[in-house]
Amino acid sequence: MSAPSTSSSPATAAHAGRPLVTPRTLTLVCIVALALAWGWLPDFTVAVLSNIGLYALVAAGLVMLTGVGGMTSFGQAAFVGMGAYATAWICTSPTAAGWLGGIAGSALVPWLGLLLGLVLTFALAWALGAVTLKLSGHYLPLCTIAWGLSLYFLLGNMEFLGGQTGITGVPPLVVAGISLASPRALGVVIWAVLLLALWALHNLLDSREGRAIRALKGGRLMAESMGVDTARHRIKLFVLAALLAAVSGWLYAHMQRFVNPTPFNLNIGIEMLFMAVVGGAGHLWGAVLGATLITLLKEKLQDILPALLGTSGNFEVVVFGLLMLFVLQRFADGLWPTLARLVSRWVRPVAKAPAANAAAPAAQLAQRVLPAAGTLLLQADAVSKRFGGLIANNDISMTLKAGEIHALIGPNGAGKSTFFNMISGVDDPSSGQVRLEGDAMSGRPSRAFAARGLGRTFQHVRLLGQRSVVENVALGAHLRARRGWLAAMLRLDRAEEAALMAEARKQIERCGLGAHADTPAASLSLGQQRVVEIARALAGQPSVLLLDEPAAGLRHLEKRALSELLGQLRAEGLGILVVEHDMEFVMNLADRITVLEFGTVIATGTPAEVQANPRVLEAYLGGADDELLEDAR
Ligand code: ADP
Ligand code: MG
């Protein structure tokens, strides 16, 4: 699974003096140390560690949901409750025993309890997600509070679940004939499940679907344009986090051997969110760190605070609140990045071996057959867009053929970017029709446009700044690969992933950014970031390419390289529609030019025709614009 060690190669010999421990080795050492010490730890420590493991499992789901996916849930404890109650009920209820017949009371039943918990949680989380995840801003967290409370009260008020008293007599788990009645034995299972979950989530994030998940927070519009169904990904992420919580609840019920509603109330849901956020919003190990810190702190505070204040009460919640404020002020990304930085002195970062060096990837990405030159690719028929009283696009008609570069120019505010959004499905026209290779597309989402071979860049660059250039570009090839969440978690997607990475690197090379492939996108200049967007669009193997001001911020030589690249793409048969203010760039490159003013087409033709058009001259020379056509001459 791991890349072959390169420590003996001459290139890394220079680092011989540096510590050789990698994060992976360090993790393994910690796990082995914990495993070796497990038999000798005091009972109390084992109990605390088991609790930490159970919390960390829920927090890991929240790291995915909140830290990575940007969806805040206060209601996670309710899903833990579902997992716990499902197994407690099926293991103890006479009704369930009646249904189960011969196997009632056997070691199999707790596993049916797990299945029941997962199925119920899946159904409920999917239904809740479908309703609440459409909400934006503060409404989503508020809604999670609402259903967190409802589920808690439901558990406490259902007669057959024992009401406030709950259910006692939950049997221990039995695995392969071994009873896990002792906390020490069950703790091993808890930590094994946690580590397995962390491994699977880590794999998921390091995959095609993982890149789509990372785009959910702040990059949804862009991701949709790359073909990602972001609403569906949000629901799946929500369900995944809920299922992890349910598994934690299942283990909890068989650890405590009884359940009652108290551990699943809103307070605990909030604590779980604390853990994920304090530990490290977007870092999986932050879940373990957060669960450890909060659990230990809670133990201590519950001892100290009542003595200090002279009365008992849930004062630790107050302290947690203050702690959360402090941590979020000082460590916006949680404590894990800080800890990782401190440890980094002893840890050698793993250099990801570029896939390009590996043997030819076994998997093939989907290939698009480009239409013959001259084929009508894109057609806008009388497209209009009104924003309230403002007519941003007024009856715009135009066409784009395979093998041509069509430029759209016009003063600022003329409606060029609005038109791009109309013809790429980002926004729907108020009237008119957009066709891709003859198919009517108006009203369809932008991912449908992407699937029909439309690639685009954005005037205001939309990249995942913290992620590397190659990851950003690979997102552009999302639709050319198939492997889903489960395959990614189990690492069955490696061949396809290598093919995606190879394709991304190829496009980055082609766009002249080879040296920056592994740097975070945000550290590039704005001009370079625009080129990254072009590479990302090309990774999708588009037949239509929409570029919104691609040359802005580029230096002279970079502009020339971009010109050459676009010329080459045209020769390959792409249809390219480009909005650009640099008139020299446009006039030398475009086959046809359409001029917009106040949302209306005022001229269309070859560069020479447009430059000679009196209305265009008036629009440019008459206004106070600095984009004089004279530039081009
Ligand atoms: P360009 O890209 O040619 O500079 P835009 O398409 O960005 O122009 O904008 C055209 C006009 O539409 C501008 O007057 C702008 O203020 C307005 N506009 C653009 N988007 C919106 C929106 N979402 N809501 C309201 N007005 C908008
Ligand atoms: Mg614009």
Side-chain angles (χ1 to χ4, degrees), residues 346-361:
W346 301 288
V347 177
R348 179 168 53 96
V350 262
K352 271 204 171 181
N357 294 352

Side-chain angles (χ1 to χ4, degrees), residues 26 151 263 290 341 394 411 495 505 540 586 592 600:
L26 192 64
L151 282 175
R341 210 166 26 250
N394 184 12
R505 284 181 193 277
V586 167
R592 275 194 299 158
T600 307

Side-chain angles (χ1 to χ4, degrees), residues 381-386 393 395-396 422 428-434 442:
D381 290 331
V383 167
S384 294
K385 181 67 180 180
R386 283 178 284 279
N393 283 173
D395 270 345
I396 300 181
M422 297 300 113
D428 294 329
S430 307
S431 64
Q433 182 61 269
V434 177
S442 289

Side-chain angles (χ1 to χ4, degrees), residues 287-563:
V288 181
L289 178 66
T292 310
L293 287 180
I294 302 267
T295 309
L296 295 182
L297 199 67
K298 196 168 152 184
E299 294 281 342
K300 283 272 167 286
L301 290 177
Q302 276 171 349
D303 289 345
I304 297 172
L305 286 182
L308 214 61
L309 300 168
T311 55
S312 59
N314 286 337
F315 293 116
E316 70 271 9
V317 177
V318 179
V319 178
F320 285 161
L322 295 175
L323 180 81
M324 178 110 149
L325 279 182
F326 171 75
V327 170
L328 291 184
Q329 280 278 320
R330 297 292 303 274
F331 309 92
D333 286 333
L335 295 171
W336 180 258
T338 311
L339 184 71
R341 210 166 26 250
L342 288 178
V343 176
S344 69
R345 240 181 291 168
W346 301 288
V347 177
R348 179 168 53 96
V350 262
K352 271 204 171 181
N357 294 352
Q364 274 288 322
L365 299 181
Q367 302 289 329
R368 188 189 312 282
V369 183
L370 290 182
T375 310
L376 187 58
L377 294 177
L378 174 78
Q379 192 179 1
D381 290 331
V383 167
S384 294
K385 181 67 180 180
R386 283 178 284 279
F387 294 115
L390 178 86
I391 303 180
N393 283 173
N394 184 12
D395 270 345
I396 300 181
S397 296
M398 62 151 292
T399 58
L400 180 68
K401 296 195 183 79
E404 79 163 343
I405 297 180
H406 193 148
L408 189 62
I409 65 170
N412 273 329
K416 306 180 295 292
S417 292
T418 303
F419 184 64
F420 260 37
N421 288 341
M422 297 300 113
I423 57 176
S424 61
V426 167
D427 209 348
D428 294 329
S430 307
S431 64
Q433 182 61 269
V434 177
R435 290 174 200 282
L436 280 177
E437 289 181 53
D439 294 346
M441 300 295 289
S442 289
R444 303 187 59 189
S446 58
R447 58 177 187 275
F449 286 67
R452 297 288 280 110
L454 184 139
R456 69 164 295 178
T457 66
F458 295 88
Q459 179 180 355
H460 303 288
V461 175
R462 292 175 190 263
L463 294 169
L464 306 179
Q466 305 301 314
R467 311 310 303 172
S468 68
V469 167
V470 67
E471 279 179 89
N472 272 285
V473 173
L475 185 56
H478 187 83
L479 286 177
R480 297 176 63 191
R482 287 279 155 265
R483 291 299 198 148
W485 288 40
L486 208 55
M489 286 189 201
L490 300 175
R491 253 182 145 64
L492 301 174
D493 63 340
R494 289 299 101 182
E496 195 184 74
E497 178 70 7
L500 278 171
M501 284 298 152
E503 173 68 18
R505 284 181 193 277
K506 192 174 103 191
Q507 299 303 342
I508 292 168
E509 260 335 304
R510 181 181 206 188
C511 294
L513 287 176
H516 303 285
D518 294 298
T519 38
S523 64
L524 268 56
S525 74
L526 202 57
Q528 287 172 324
Q529 292 187 27
R530 291 186 184 286
V531 179
V532 174
E533 287 220 331
I534 298 176
R536 182 178 64 194
L538 290 178
Q541 211 184 34
S543 53
V544 176
L545 190 56
L546 308 185
L547 305 175
D548 203 346
E549 305 201 12
L554 291 190
R555 286 177 301 215
H556 186 67
L557 282 179
E558 292 171 330
K559 277 186 190 173
R560 197 145 72 188
L562 177 61
S563 240

Side-chain angles (χ1 to χ4, degrees), residues 82 114 142 162 202 209 232 289 351 377 388 429 432 436 527 539 619:
M82 298 226 26
L114 174 63
L142 282 177
H202 169 86
E209 297 288 58
R232 195 177 163 79
L289 178 66
L377 294 177
L436 280 177

